[in-house]
Amino acid sequence: MTAAIQVNAVEKSFGNVQIIRDLNLSVAKGERHAIIGPNGAGKSTTFNLISGHIKPTSGEIRLNGEVTSGLRPFEINRRGLSRSFQVTNVFARMTVWENVRCAVLWATGHRYAFWKNVDSLPEVKQRTAQILDDIHLSHRRDVPAGLLTYAEQRELEIGITIAGGASVIMLDEPTAGMSHAETERAVALIRRLTEGRTLVIVEHDMSVVFGLADRISVLVYGHIIASGTPEEIRGNPKVKEAYLGEEVD
Amino acid sequence: MTDAPTPSLAAAKQEPGGVLGFYGVWLLAAIALVVLPLIFSSGGSLTSFCLIGIAIIFALSYNILLGQTGLLSFGHAVQYGLGGFLAVHVMNAGANHNWPIPLPVIPLVGGIGGMAFALLVGWVMTKRAGTVFAMISLGIGELVASSSLILRSVFGGESGITTDRTSLMPMFGWTFGPQIQVYYLIAFWVLVSAIAMYALTRTPLGRICNAVRDNPERVEFIGYDPHVVRYLAYMFAGFFAGIAGGLTAINFEIANSAYLGATQSGLVLFSAFIGGTAYFFGPILGAILVTYLQLGLTSVTSVWQLYFGVIFIGIVMFAPGGIAGILMKHRPLIRAGTLGTVIPSYLVAVIPTLAFALGIILTIETVARFSGGDVINLLGIPFVATAPTTWAAAAVLVVGGFLVARITWRRVAEAWDRAATVARDRGYLA
């Protein structure tokens, strides 16, 4: 079976600084895969490479078997990969409803249409309402996204990411900055919304990682030093030494 | 009829009434356009209405870029002017060859001209937004404007190219010689263009334009190429600017290089901004005000541009949302019924603010007319520009007016805060 995401020997340098060294990663379809690692290990860079935000210096990235390295983000998105951002990245002056609806439009085939009334597309309306319901923001639908609370913006961020119905979802620290209660709520939300899809998640909160992930990859200095089930990662001496220390015991 | 978010929960519940109100607004606009020249029938007001109508289309087309897509253009007059030139050429050719083209479709020719140019240069221009786009638009504007003086066969040099709007095939017995017939032609196109541009904001493309304005980076991750979105917006803006240019060509029976220049581009930016770019109707208000100011001020003062500058600075500094922004701020207060509590503070503030404004006007005019030693007529009072009493009066008005006005402005702000808090407590978000 072809992997949902296959990263082969990817390198990324900014000038003389090599951020990603010989990165190899395989994420099976339907798997919940967490990428962990110390600050500055290149987790976000890995996300940016896979989602097309930046291009690899060398190497190859495949999405569902198709080479996507070198494609623009929207081209990769149209092939079924959607990502969220670590720093909230929404359409601030537009309402919650409009934010989600914009993310639904391409997937429902309306593209750049300038001959259709956006308010009279039943499929779009229904799907947007469903997503808002899913992320518990229906009661805030007419509020400009910029006026939401931080936790609400994080939920909207997830809503925009899943709205297009992509088969591969990548979430970059979805619970960063959240309280304990908010984190629990967000994890339940992520678990429910990514049911049946492939999930790649970057996360610092180890309880989230070990509670959610089927497999974990450990990234240190731009290189994956270990990849395996949570138990394997817990028991891996290299991981203990490089990153986790006493934390996982 | 706003494109901006309706930030109130109450708004969502009123949707059926909203639809009724939506058609009602356009119906009222149509009726107003029909009866306006019947009420104000003098030649002067008819001329003004024609100019205002054209300015409305032009300003709305500009807002497709600035307000909807977040593109600051310094060269929007290029599409407007080229639309005008193409319209003039087609009118002349039509008259010479007896083509069966009636005059009312000529604005469409202008629109095609504006769009064709946008199609040609737009892809390169819209690759980036922000400063890059602004600078390229400025460059293209200057390039075309200066070319128009060199390429005489196309642009007619400094004198431009004239035409005769009555020489085309008459339609329904209308020759379009009398200004009133031209007025109705313009009114028709104002209504059609405004409805079309509003409809555009309600399409998938229109919504994605807003998304590109807010966050082009994120748009790439929901399947859209922001470059394509900007390009399409640029073409639509060019199309409607071309319609405005075509109407100008019909109205004045001439197209010249001034149509293409930086002054024209600046004026449309000015109209859209003063009116308020965040709301669809903002540029309409701006176009009306700026055209009236232009017509009114040029007849009373030689330094009318200076007043434009002062007004522009004032709006940018104190009301960046423009007139529409000021008006819409009152909406939650009206809904919550707390508007009455701020009105008295407005009335108190009016007098010192007016005194302050008069002081500034007197100062500007004194400086402008000093060397001539002219007499300034302000509110029927003659002021001699060289007399120290005039200077003293100006100084008293400016300083005194400002000091008193500042207190009243603070009162307005306090009253406003109280009213807004009450409105928020009642569930109407600001």
Side-chain angles (χ1 to χ4, degrees):
Chain A
M1 197 174 98
T2 49
I5 296 174
Q6 183 73 50
V7 178
N8 293 327
V10 162
E11 312 255 335
K12 178 67 191 177
S13 305
F14 293 102
N16 289 330
V17 187
Q18 195 172 40
I19 303 294
I20 300 292
R21 304 172 293 131
D22 189 28
L23 186 78
N24 293 284
L25 177 71
S26 182
V27 180
K29 278 183 186 155
E31 183 178 287
R32 282 197 253 261
H33 197 111
I35 298 174
I36 60 173
N39 284 327
K43 301 186 294 295
S44 286
T45 309
T46 305
F47 257 50
N48 288 340
L49 284 165
I50 295 172
S51 62
H53 202 30
I54 55 176
K55 291 179 175 47
T57 312
S58 67
E60 181 193 75
I61 299 165
R62 287 173 182 268
L63 176 69
N64 296 322
E66 189 186 353
V67 177
T68 55
S69 38
L71 293 183
R72 301 273 303 277
F74 56 87
E75 294 171 312
I76 295 172
N77 180 267
R78 291 170 198 172
R79 285 164 173 76
L81 183 144
S82 185
R83 69 164 291 186
S84 74
F85 288 80
Q86 193 179 335
V87 178
T88 302
N89 209 351
V90 296
F91 307 112
R93 282 168 63 189
M94 301 171 82
T95 63
V96 171
W97 173 266
E98 298 218 56
N99 267 268
V100 173
R101 185 170 62 184
C102 279
V104 165
L105 284 173
W106 187 275
T108 46
H110 298 294
R111 300 176 173 226
Y112 302 105
F114 51 82
W115 54 88
K116 301 173 185 170
N117 183 346
V118 76
D119 295 317
S120 55
L121 303 169
E123 192 194 352
V124 170
K125 207 176 207 168
Q126 193 197 331
R127 204 153 148 179
T128 308
Q130 178 64 50
I131 301 280
L132 282 191
D133 198 34
D134 284 341
I135 58 173
H136 312 299
L137 285 179
S138 298
H139 64 293
R140 304 279 273 165
R141 54 166 279 168
D142 294 309
V143 178
L147 299 183
L148 294 179
T149 65
Y150 177 75
E152 285 173 334
Q153 286 192 358
R154 297 303 300 171
E155 282 167 344
L156 178 59
E157 178 80 37
I158 294 173
I160 293 172
T161 308
I162 59 156
S167 62
V168 179
I169 304 290
M170 300 179 73
L171 303 177
D172 195 351
E173 297 199 25
T175 68
M178 282 189 181
S179 70
H180 188 69
E182 286 167 344
T183 301
E184 269 183 10
R185 211 169 102 110
V187 170
L189 184 74
I190 292 164
R191 191 190 296 278
R192 192 159 49 81
L193 294 181
T194 57
E195 199 69 53
R197 311 195 207 190
T198 310
L199 172 71
V200 182
I201 186 168
V202 162
E203 188 53 71
H204 275 300
D205 188 329
M206 286 305 140
S207 63
V208 173
V209 170
F210 285 99
L212 198 62
D214 302 322
R215 284 174 70 81
I216 297 171
S217 289
V218 184
L219 191 69
V220 177
Y221 293 124
H223 185 76
I224 287 181
I225 59 163
S227 219
T229 63
E231 288 70 38
E232 287 166 3
I233 293 299
R234 266 203 184 95
N236 189 319
K238 250 192 343 189
V239 175
K240 281 191 173 181
E241 181 197 0
Y243 170 60
L244 291 171
E246 301 303 304
E247 213 175 319
V248 283
D249 292 322
Chain B
M1 44 183 270
T2 68
D3 72 286
T6 42
S8 154
L9 290 171
K13 292 174 199 145
Q14 293 166 357
E15 248 177 289
V19 171
L20 203 75
F22 170 72
Y23 289 112
V25 165
W26 294 115
L27 196 66
L28 276 179
I31 293 169
L33 286 170
V34 169
V35 302
L36 213 51
L38 306 177
I39 301 166
F40 306 95
S41 52
S42 75
S45 47
L46 206 55
T47 311
S48 310
F49 292 153
C50 287
L51 294 177
I52 287 171
I54 293 167
I56 286 174
I57 301 177
F58 193 27
L60 282 175
S61 81
Y62 186 77
N63 208 39
I64 295 176
L65 297 178
L66 184 61
Q68 305 291 342
T69 320
L71 290 169
L72 175 64
S73 170
F74 289 121
H76 198 49
V78 168
Q79 277 88 325
Y80 166 84
L82 289 178
F85 273 104
L86 188 67
V88 163
H89 282 297
V90 170
M91 281 161 79
N92 286 343
N96 290 338
H97 301 94
N98 284 318
W99 287 344
I101 308 171
L103 191 75
V105 303
I106 288 295
L108 203 60
V109 172
I112 291 166
M115 191 181 219
F117 185 75
L119 191 86
L120 206 69
V121 300
W123 184 252
V124 178
M125 285 185 71
T126 56
K127 199 166 170 56
R128 300 277 299 277
T131 317
V132 178
F133 174 83
M135 289 301 111
I136 298 177
S137 73
L138 187 66
I140 298 258
E142 284 303 292
L143 191 81
V144 174
S146 54
S147 302
S148 71
L149 294 172
I150 303 161
L151 306 171
R152 289 176 173 277
S153 57
V154 184
F155 296 103
E158 273 179 37
S159 53
I161 291 179
T162 55
T163 186
D164 177 2
R165 66 186 177 220
T166 63
S167 63
L168 288 173
M169 194 183 83
M171 203 168 111
F172 310 128
W174 282 30
T175 59
F176 295 100
Q179 190 66 28
I180 183 76
Q181 294 185 358
V182 174
Y183 167 80
Y184 279 115
L185 175 64
I186 292 173
F188 167 77
W189 277 102
V190 168
L191 196 65
V192 169
S193 305
I195 291 174
M197 282 187 266
Y198 180 72
L200 184 65
T201 67
R202 307 306 314 166
T203 65
L205 175 68
R207 302 289 84 207
I208 293 296
C209 282
N210 284 185
V212 167
R213 172 199 69 198
D214 280 9
N215 193 343
E217 185 199 44
R218 183 61 153 148
V219 166
E220 288 206 63
F221 293 91
I222 57 169
Y224 283 91
D225 184 353
H227 185 188
V228 172
V229 175
R230 284 193 289 260
Y231 184 42
L232 290 171
Y234 189 67
M235 278 196 277
F236 276 107
F239 177 70
F240 289 107
I243 288 180
L247 286 170
T248 306
I250 290 169
N251 192 34
F252 292 130
E253 300 186 295
I254 189 172
N256 60 43
S257 61
Y259 289 14
L260 301 154
T263 311
Q264 195 69 31
S265 293
L267 215 55
V268 72
L269 160 64
F270 191 66
S271 302
F273 199 92
I274 284 192
T277 58
Y279 297 94
F280 180 80
F281 67 92
I284 299 177
L285 302 181
I288 295 171
L289 181 75
V290 168
T291 311
Y292 256 120
L293 277 180
Q294 210 182 0
L295 294 171
L297 284 178
T298 42
S299 60
V300 294
T301 173
S302 57
V303 289
W304 56 275
Q305 279 138 321
L306 221 149
Y307 289 99
F308 269 29
V310 170
I311 293 168
F312 192 60
I313 292 168
I315 294 270
V316 170
M317 285 178 66
F318 300 111
I323 301 167
I326 296 173
L327 292 177
M328 294 308 279
K329 266 193 167 179
H330 290 80
R331 197 164 61 163
L333 300 200
I334 295 168
R335 286 220 177 108
T338 56
L339 186 68
T341 60
V342 281
I343 297 284
S345 67
Y346 282 175
L347 293 178
V348 173
V350 160
I351 296 157
T353 308
L354 269 181
F356 175 54
L358 283 174
I360 289 186
I361 293 170
L362 195 56
T363 310
I364 291 174
E365 291 303 320
T366 306
V367 174
R369 302 188 194 189
F370 180 75
S371 55
D374 293 352
V375 175
I376 305 152
N377 261 306
L378 201 62
L379 301 177
I381 308 161
F383 290 97
V384 181
T386 47
T389 48
T390 302
W391 309 340
V396 167
L397 282 171
V398 170
V399 177
F402 178 74
L403 290 178
V404 180
R406 210 170 51 159
I407 299 166
T408 63
W409 293 339
R410 222 172 280 145
R411 288 267 170 80
V412 168
E414 284 163 7
W416 177 267
D417 282 343
R418 275 196 301 274
T421 309
V422 174
R424 218 173 294 130
D425 290 346
R426 291 181 191 171
Y428 299 95
L429 290 166

